[in-house]
Amino acid sequence: MGRIPFEAVGVGTPLFGVQWRKTSAERRAAHEVMDFLEERKLLFLDPHVDDVERCVRSALEIRAFIAEQLEQHDVGRELSVTLKSMRAACRRFVEVAGPRGEGFGSPTSVVGARRLGLALGDLRSQMGFYVAAMATQYLIEIDDDLSVILPPRPHDQDEDA
């Protein structure tokens, strides 16, 4: 059996709970991924119609970087699931797009632009969910540009009264 990637720091009551401290390798990997994502304009800028291939390349770069992080760091189960989910979201975007973005058709056409927009929206909403989870779990500040993909925060009026 492998090493547990975090340390127990306390046991709670009344039912039973354990508090966990993330390892330095796990925190380092989470920070490296977040730093990398902050530079991926695919996640927060609207592409020009000629940038479809660049969008696909960027999604492939994200996948490759995440794969490297999974290989280089002992990230533990929780972060591993998050990173693999991020990688899968990028893979789905690339599968829809095709290797050069031909899956969107002509990006200058209304249909092509709509397909690209829908695929980008899907990728960004999934990545935003995982970025928010990582930021919360590892106490990472999120760059203003990247923060546009975060899910909305609940307001008091959103809760059931």
Side-chain angles (χ1 to χ4, degrees), residues 7 13 16 54 71 74 80-82 98 100 118 148 150 155:
E7 306 166 27
T13 55
F16 178 74
R54 187 176 299 157
E71 289 176 16
D74 181 13
S80 176
V81 168
T82 298
R100 291 185 181 82
L118 289 171
V148 301
L150 297 176
H155 297 304

Side-chain angles (χ1 to χ4, degrees), residues 17-91:
V18 179
Q19 298 172 346
W20 302 102
R21 181 182 309 140
K22 308 297 186 187
T23 66
S24 60
E26 208 173 353
R27 284 191 306 274
R28 184 173 40 255
H31 280 272
E32 287 179 18
V33 168
M34 196 71 74
D35 289 345
F36 184 80
L37 294 178
E38 288 175 353
E39 299 299 320
R40 302 299 94 180
K41 294 177 183 172
L42 163 74
L43 297 176
F44 52 84
L45 289 181
D46 290 331
H48 188 269
V49 292
D50 298 331
D51 290 343
V52 175
E53 283 187 56
R54 187 176 299 157
C55 289
V56 173
R57 277 195 310 273
S58 185
L60 290 169
E61 290 168 3
I62 294 169
R63 284 182 65 207
F65 185 81
I66 289 172
E68 288 174 16
Q69 296 304 302
L70 287 166
E71 289 176 16
Q72 292 175 0
H73 300 285
D74 181 13
V75 297
R77 184 181 177 282
E78 191 173 357
L79 183 57
S80 176
V81 168
T82 298
L83 294 178
K84 287 177 180 180
S85 297
M86 293 171 110
R87 191 175 60 184
C90 290
R91 184 188 68 243

